[in-house]
Amino acid sequence: MSSLVLPWLGLLALTAVSLIMGNRFGHAPWMPLLVALIIWIKGTLVARYFIESHQAHPFIAVMLRIFIAFAPAALVLTAFFGK
């Protein structure tokens, strides 16, 4: 259980950073890229430490990485090419 403390604190820190950046730079043109990066990092942390994807079968690990990359990619594509 103690091995999950640092990833949990990392998730909390990333959430705090995203809230602060959202309040400070709300509609900046680069904000979707930052949000996508934070989503990707948080997804990777959850997959690695809470789902333990590094111990899964390689096919499952690859599919999980693709799934985690899908949301940030969709966010960036929608933000820049959705109009």
Side-chain angles (χ1 to χ4, degrees):
M1 189 63 134
S2 64
S3 64
L4 298 178
V5 171
L6 286 178
W8 180 255
L9 291 174
L11 291 170
L12 291 175
L14 287 169
T15 301
V17 166
S18 65
L19 288 172
I20 291 167
M21 297 299 282
N23 284 333
R24 183 167 281 180
F25 301 108
H27 296 289
W30 48 266
M31 195 57 144
L33 292 173
L34 179 66
V35 171
L37 177 65
I38 290 173
I39 289 172
W40 179 75
I41 293 170
K42 287 172 81 170
T44 302
L45 280 173
V46 168
R48 170 105 177 138
Y49 293 101
F50 296 98
I51 300 176
E52 298 180 345
S53 64
H54 61 286
Q55 295 179 354
H57 187 274
F59 176 76
I60 300 297
V62 168
M63 295 309 294
L64 190 55
R65 280 189 222 117
I66 291 170
F67 179 77
I68 290 169
F70 180 76
L75 178 95
V76 170
L77 289 173
T78 302
F80 293 114
F81 302 110
K83 295 179 182 180

